[in-house]
């Protein structure tokens, strides 16, 4: 099988270049056209740089917003933990007051005033504890102002 070698001469390339329309052939551009082209190119490059800068800035803003949300979440989480600790402390305090009031009633202190004197608690705490103890059934209320334990 014979292979043919094709030699492309400069004339053929020139003929192909002649097929390009005149406004695309940069060899035929005037200095003004070249300058305008460079200006348009530079303007397009500046626009692209500004767009990239805007994108970087936008990502930074989004990243900062995400971090702020994470910080706010952690702060709220810590606040919730603190609230739970405070609730636990209040619960323990309430239980301790109820135990003191129950002990005072079982020792024979049968009115709110006597219970207050023996426990040194405020009136509202004594009354709340007595209500809870009566509701639970550990303490009974034989008369409107007197309290007794079920087990003497």
């Amino acid at each position: 099988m014979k292979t043919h070698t094709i030699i492309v001469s400069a004339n053929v390339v020139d003929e192909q270049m002649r097929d390009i329309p005149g406004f695309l052939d940069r060899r035929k551009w005037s200095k003004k056209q070249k300058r305008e082209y460079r200006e348009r190119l530079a303007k397009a490059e500046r626009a692209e740089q500004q767009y990239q800068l805007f994108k970087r800035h936008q990502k930074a803003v989004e990243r900062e917003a995400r971090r702020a949300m994470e910080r706010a979440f952690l702060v709220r989480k810590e606040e919730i933990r603190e609230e739970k600790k405070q609730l636990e402390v209040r619960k323990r305090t309430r239980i301790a007051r109820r135990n003191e009031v129950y002990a005072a009633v079982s020792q024979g202190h049968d009115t709110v005033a006597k219970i207050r004197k023996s426990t040194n608690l405020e009136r509202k705490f004594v009354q709340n504890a007595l209500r809870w103890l009566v509701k639970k059934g550990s303490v009974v209320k034989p008369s409107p102002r007197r309290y007794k334990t079920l087990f003497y």
Side-chain angles (χ1 to χ4, degrees):
M1 181 182 229
K2 241 179 175 184
T3 58
H4 298 285
T5 320
I6 300 174
I7 300 174
V8 179
S9 66
N11 293 338
V12 174
V13 173
D14 284 341
E15 286 178 22
Q16 290 174 349
M17 292 299 289
R18 286 186 205 143
D19 295 341
I20 296 176
F23 66 92
L24 290 178
D25 191 1
R26 292 186 194 168
R27 293 178 302 171
K28 296 179 181 176
W29 282 5
S30 66
K31 289 183 180 182
K32 181 181 176 185
Q33 287 174 320
K34 289 178 183 177
R35 187 187 59 211
E36 289 173 352
Y37 173 75
R38 282 193 299 269
E39 289 171 0
R40 283 194 310 269
L41 192 60
K43 185 178 179 181
E45 287 175 0
R46 282 193 304 271
E48 179 63 26
Q49 288 172 351
Q50 287 176 346
Y51 177 73
Q52 293 301 326
L53 182 66
F54 169 75
K55 281 296 197 183
R56 279 196 302 269
H57 175 70
Q58 191 175 19
K59 285 181 182 178
V61 167
E62 289 172 359
R63 188 171 40 250
E64 186 57 37
R66 201 170 39 252
R67 286 179 184 161
M69 285 178 55
E70 289 171 358
R71 284 191 298 269
F73 174 76
L74 292 176
V75 166
R76 180 63 186 137
K77 194 173 179 181
E78 189 59 37
E79 289 172 355
I80 290 171
R81 282 187 187 140
E82 191 60 36
E83 289 172 6
K84 285 183 179 181
K85 287 179 185 176
Q86 291 173 357
L87 283 173
E88 187 63 31
V89 168
R90 283 196 304 253
K91 181 180 176 183
R92 288 183 189 150
T93 305
R94 232 181 2 256
I95 291 170
R97 288 178 187 149
R98 289 174 187 162
N99 291 338
E100 284 183 59
V101 170
Y102 182 78
V105 171
S106 62
Q107 289 173 359
H109 305 285
D110 58 351
T111 63
V112 173
K114 289 180 184 178
I115 295 170
R116 276 189 62 215
K117 271 188 180 178
S118 69
T119 59
N120 292 325
L121 292 174
E122 292 181 27
R123 183 178 187 85
K124 66 180 181 180
F125 296 137
V126 172
Q127 288 175 332
N128 287 340
L130 285 171
R131 274 190 216 109
W132 187 85
L133 289 167
V134 168
K135 186 176 178 181
K136 182 182 170 196
S138 301
V139 173
V140 292
K141 192 172 181 181
S143 67
R145 295 186 182 189
R146 299 213 180 260
Y147 298 92
K148 287 186 179 177
T149 58
L150 290 175
F151 312 104
Y152 294 82

